[in-house]
Amino acid sequence: MYDLTGFQRDLLYVISGLDEPHGLALKDELEEYYETEIHHGRLYPNLDTLVNKGLVEKSQMDRRTNSYALTARGQREIDARREWEHQYLQDTLNTA
């Protein structure tokens, strides 16, 4: 996951937290978090990158809508990232 942008990592986390997320649902979630408009020209190329890297699977819901889901590899990457972050945050969490 080290080679992903922050936006791509955020996409992975949002995909993992929603049931059958589609592009507009992901866009809405990220706009709420970033407090700014997310343009299609930013969202969909980044989703395609995650698909091409094998972290996300894209399937068609209907003629105009795709849904996205984490692959097993995508879930492993999130789990590994959490472990990596935890080793640095553990001390600060225990002292808070």
Side-chain angles (χ1 to χ4, degrees), residues 17-28:
L18 296 177
D19 291 330
E20 295 186 40
H22 52 87
L24 291 178
L26 295 168
K27 182 179 180 295
D28 290 345

Side-chain angles (χ1 to χ4, degrees), residues 20-23 51 57-69:
E20 295 186 40
H22 52 87
V51 169
E57 181 178 83
K58 178 168 80 170
S59 58
Q60 196 169 20
M61 293 177 76
D62 60 40
R63 294 179 131 186
R64 297 185 60 204
T65 307
N66 293 318
S67 66
Y68 299 88

